[in-house]
Every structure is written in C-alpha cells, then in structure tokens.
Amino acid sequence: MTSPNFAGRNARRFKAPSVIPGFGLTFGYTLLYLGLVVLLPLAALIWRSSGLGLSGLYDIATEPRVAAGLRTTFFISFCAALVDLFFGLIVAWVLTRYDFFGRRLLDAFVDLPFALPTAVAGISLAALYAPNGWFGEPLAAYGIKIAYTRWGILVALIFIGLPFVVRTVQPIVAELETELEEASATLGASRVQTVLRVLLPPLAPALLTGFALAFARSIGEYGSVIFIAGNIAYVSEIAPLLIVVKLEQYDIPGATGIATIMLAISFAALLAINLVQAFARKRFGHV
Amino acid sequence: MSESIAAGVPAARRRARVRPVTQDSPFARYALIATAIAFLSLFLLAPLAVVFYEAGTKGAAAFFEAFQDPDARAAIRLTLLIAAIAVPANLAFGLAAAWSIAKFSFPGKSLLITLIDLPFSVSPVVAGLVYVLLFGSQGLLGGWLTAHGVQIIFAVPGIVLATIFVTFPFVARELIPLMQEQGSVEEEAALTLGASGFKTFLTVTLPNIKWGLLYGVLLCNARAMGEFGAVSVVSGHIRGLTNTIPLQVEILYNEYNNVAAFALSVLLASLALVTLGIKTFLEWRHADALAARGRRH
C-alpha cells in the first residue's frame, strides 16, 4: 500500500472503524491542500525537467559556470557541516552536561539561525566580515579576507547549519546512561577511553543525522550567503544563485535543470537520514 | 531536555575531594565551556549584535527616519498581510492534517507525514521557481492566466503562495506527534457522553493542544515574515508593491543605505528575539504540553 489516494467510496474500509467524526472532511482537506500547494508545483518542476531528458540535465550540469556553482555549493556545504559537527557536539555536550552562568540563555540562542530571517543574517555577516567590520578589520591586518570570498560562504553556512547538529545531538547526550560510564571506569578505562569508546558510539547516529540535516539545508541556502559571497562567477557563486541568474535571463530550462539536480541531492540526503535513523533504532533503541 | 541532567549535578560536587568517574576533569570542562561560549559568541551573538549596532551608527533620528519612507511602510504592510494570510491557512491545514492522522488509523500514514515534511527539504529558491514554472508567463497555466487577466507571479498572490509553501509543515509537524501522544480516549469519552464532534474538538482537543498550537504558529509566523529566497524569486521586486521587509532590506543594502537596511533588520531581528523568547518560555513552562522533541526542524 503506497498511496493514500483512495479515500472516497472505500473510505469505510480504508480506515479502521472509529467513533470519532470528521475523517472524511479533515483527510480530504489535507490531501487537497497538500496536493495543490506542494505536490502540484513540484510536479510542474518534474514535468518540466522530464522534458529536458537525462542528456539535457547532463548538459546543464556540465556547463562550466553551473558546474563551478554546483561544486562550490557541495564542497563548502560539506565543509560547513563538518565544522558544525565538531563544534555542535561540543556545544551540545557543554549545554547538557555542565552547569554554568548563562547556560540557559546560550541554549536559547542556539535556535537563532532558525528564527533570524536569512536576509538579516546575510547582511549582518557581511557587515561583520567586511574589510571595515568588527572581525574583517583585524583579520585584514593579517591579510585574511573573509567577506566576498569563498570563506564568506563557509561562515554563512556554518551559521545556518549549527542548530541542526546541536538540536539533534542534545537529546541523545541527555539520555546517555551514567551507569555505562561508571561501568567503563570501574573496568579500568581512562576518561578519554570512556568518552571515545562508550559515550561517542551511541551519539554517532545523531551526529550523522545532524550532519546530513545541516548539509542538506546548506545546499539550498540562499539569503544568508549571497550578501557575503561576493558572487563572482566560477569562484563564489552558489547553485541557488545560479537558478535566480538563469531565471533573470529567461533561461527557464537552465533554472529547471539546476533545481532538479538540487532536489535530487536533498532527497538523497533525506533518504540517508532515514536509513541512519532506522539503523540507530535497531542498534541503540533510539533515534 | 538539557535542564534535567544539568540540574542533577549539584554545585557542591565540585568541592568534593574525589572527582566522580562520570565527570570530566576541571581542565577539560573549562576548556570545553570556553570553546562553546567562544564559538557561539563569534557565530551567533556577534551577527545579532551587529544588526543593532549598525542601525544605530547614525543616531536615533536616522534610525526612525528609515520607517518614514513610503516604500518601507508599504513593505511592512505587505509583510503583515502575507503573514495574515499564510499563517491561518497553514494553521487550518495543520489542524486538519493532525486530526486525520492522529485520531484515525489508515494505510499510507507515514508516506503522508513524509510528504507534509517535504517543503523543509526543498531550497527556498526552488520553492519560488516551482510557482514560476506553474503560473509564470511561460509556465504551465501562464497562457490561460494571462488570457484571463490574472497575475500571480510578480504580484501579491505569488508571494502568498511561495510563503505558504515554505511555512507549510510548521503547524502540522508540531501537532501531529502531540496529538498522537495524547491519543483519543478523552475525545471518545466526550462523544459517548453526547457532545457533538465540533464541540468535542473545541472543549476537549483544543485545550489539550493549545500550547503546541501556539508553538507551531509562532515558528510559522517568524518564517512567514522573514522568508527571503522563495519570495525573492516570485516577487519581481516592484517597490512599494511587491517588496516584503526582507526584500526591502536587500534593496536598501545594495544601495549602500546601511542605516535604513539595518533599521528594517532591527524590526525582523526583534521579531526573531521575541519568537525565541516565547519559544523558550513554552519549552520551559509547558514542556509536557508540547510534542516530545527529538529533531526539531
């Protein structure tokens, strides 16, 4: 049974009997709204890109400027997700395991990238790292340029992806059983050994999930990146920006092609997340 | 989540002569705390602080002047209008979806939940693009729309649709797990005692889900007012007509009008802070009335 699309006449057999009313209305509305707002527009994209064919998609992806954009997006998103993985684990650990002044406030601020509009994040990061900015000026003294280079993209994507890692890992750190640590210490393991061989393995699925979520989000990110990236063709253009550029040139097939490739990658990431979680449930009994 | 464990570590323990085996050495602890604080300050707090700083560089008069501009006012009005349409639309959908998914059992449920989550894994720019492909002048329905004098792309309806798309899952994904956890025993009791379906919803279900509902609406609203990528693709950037606050910020910034750009950003950043504040309050005070949190977004 793969599709819920057969309500209607068989509704009574389709759902299990229940005294609660309103199934037809709410289920019908859910399908209608989902279909009109999400599925129909996405179908338009798939229909358009099927007109291009695989060879058409390949031609678009290997166009030098597009290929450079896709490479930039994937490579820097990967690096940003790695940085988030490392610092996200430390932040999740510190916020869960230790108590210190300002912990709750800091904990609340971790969600800032979710709440702050991306355009605002974009211009404030650009202002920070610009040659005359708070961070840009001292760095410029050492000859380091962040804003309007690929490093700027990295900074923006680190900002965007951080909460995904922290919020995925935090609940699992909270659930770690002290008994395991005690047993490990009793059996003669040093603290470092305990951390590496007892505490980290159950965190691995959550870390992987957080990494994949941050990576997937970074690939699609637009608003926070374009202000700081400088958007130099072949150097610091990201794939979503190329969609906008193609649209402005009325190159609808080009825009569709890039969008299809990005969509395929995000679905692959989503699938990977689900596989990791299914594995984690089997192996560790939690997500 | 985090509170329970941290609260279980009394401060007095630090004074104990023998460190418990489950605690890290003081050196490791302080090094990790310092790293976390430094990282969060550099990457989260500094970008937030610079918004307020830049908005104030030319003094209060320049700051408030930014809001006198007719285009800025039009952008604020449009943003409020968009949120006023998109948030209730997704609220109604979220309630319907959660009711049908949580209160009934039918095949294909997990597929349906996956489809509801779909907009979160689509790039905002792609979300805008799909509506251009559907309603734009070269789009599937573009010819028919032009013939009937209906404009969706580069007009307000397109902005509303793109905003609804990107904020689509917020309410539903908060309510579905919450209502699944709560089950339907209370509703069944009310119905057995003779309450109508609608009355049951109003007097039994709604009080049980109100905090979760508020939580979902809050996040939905913050995103609806702050959305940039999707809206940027469908808006056409017509000043005073199809510019929302984030788009107006972009225009002002690109014109090197920093004070005005950051003044409008202060508005959006304040919205984000209020959202975070209420969200934190709900998680602290009403944690048991929210869906259990594993993965949040």
Side-chain angles (χ1 to χ4, degrees), chain A residues 2 14 16 20-21 23 26 30 33 37 47-48 93 98 104 109 111 114 123-124 126 159 167 178 191 220 259 266, chain B residues 3 24 43 47 90 93 97 99-100 104-105 107 111 121 123 129 131 138 140 164 184 253 265 279 284 294 297:
Chain A
T2 50
F14 169 67
I20 296 181
F23 179 73
T26 55
T30 302
Y33 190 80
V37 173
W47 184 78
R48 275 285 178 141
W93 182 266
Y98 306 144
R104 272 170 185 270
F109 267 111
D111 279 334
F114 287 151
I123 65 168
S124 69
F159 173 83
R167 293 308 187 210
T178 334
R191 183 66 188 159
S266 14
Chain B
E3 289 80 353
D24 304 314
F43 279 89
N90 284 336
F93 164 74
W99 185 267
S100 61
F104 302 94
S105 62
L111 176 71
S121 29
S123 166
L129 174 73
Y131 284 102
Q138 297 177 47
L140 291 180
I164 288 181
S184 38
Y253 184 80
S265 296
K279 180 172 169 294
W284 168 62
H297 285 259

Side-chain angles (χ1 to χ4, degrees), chain B residues 6-282:
Chain B
V9 183
R13 265 206 191 174
R14 266 186 280 153
R15 268 177 271 127
R17 208 179 310 150
V18 182
R19 175 167 55 88
V21 287
T22 55
Q23 269 189 22
D24 304 314
S25 69
F27 173 75
R29 189 167 58 226
Y30 290 125
L32 287 175
I33 291 177
T35 310
I37 291 180
F39 184 79
L40 291 179
S41 309
L42 278 178
F43 279 89
L44 298 187
L45 300 184
L48 182 67
V50 88
V51 172
F52 292 89
Y53 171 79
E54 290 279 342
T57 43
K58 299 263 161 65
F63 175 81
F64 287 110
E65 204 184 277
F67 298 99
Q68 301 299 323
D69 178 32
D71 289 345
R73 295 194 156 206
I76 294 171
R77 270 198 305 274
L78 182 62
T79 294
L80 292 175
L81 173 73
I82 303 291
I85 302 172
V87 175
N90 284 336
L91 171 63
F93 164 74
L95 282 172
W99 185 267
S100 61
I101 288 173
K103 303 289 179 197
F104 302 94
S105 62
F106 55 88
K109 204 184 257 190
S110 55
L111 176 71
L112 185 59
I113 295 176
T114 307
L115 288 178
I116 289 175
D117 263 352
L118 205 55
F120 275 165
S121 29
V122 174
S123 166
V125 173
V126 177
L129 174 73
V130 294
Y131 284 102
V132 173
L133 294 180
L134 202 57
F135 299 121
S137 56
Q138 297 177 47
L140 291 180
L141 305 174
W144 187 87
L145 289 171
T146 317
H148 290 75
V150 182
Q151 191 165 18
I152 293 185
I153 299 305
F154 303 147
V156 175
I159 304 179
V160 172
L161 281 172
T163 306
I164 288 181
F165 184 100
V166 294
T167 58
F168 185 83
F170 277 109
V171 181
R173 70 151 30 192
E174 178 61 31
L175 288 186
I176 293 170
L178 178 64
M179 281 167 73
Q180 276 178 331
E181 276 166 39
Q182 290 174 344
S184 38
V185 182
E186 290 181 31
E187 280 82 2
E188 281 162 6
L191 290 162
T192 318
L193 292 170
S196 69
F198 188 62
K199 192 166 184 197
T200 305
F201 171 75
L202 276 187
T203 55
V204 177
T205 310
L206 206 54
N208 278 338
I209 60 168
K210 62 182 176 201
W211 296 117
L213 194 72
L214 178 62
Y215 191 91
V217 165
L218 202 68
L219 298 182
C220 182
N221 178 63
R223 181 73 193 267
M225 290 190 168
E227 178 51 30
F228 176 72
V231 166
S232 157
V233 171
V234 296
S235 119
H237 304 273
I238 308 164
R239 279 173 186 242
L241 283 179
T242 63
N243 269 346
T244 59
I245 303 179
L247 297 178
Q248 185 70 18
V249 166
E250 181 196 20
I251 288 184
L252 292 169
Y253 184 80
N254 286 341
E255 287 173 346
Y256 301 100
N257 193 344
N258 265 13
V259 171
F262 278 101
L264 283 179
S265 296
V266 161
L267 215 57
L268 291 173
S270 307
L271 171 75
L273 285 178
V274 170
T275 304
L276 278 186
I278 305 178
K279 180 172 169 294
T280 308
F281 174 77
L282 287 177

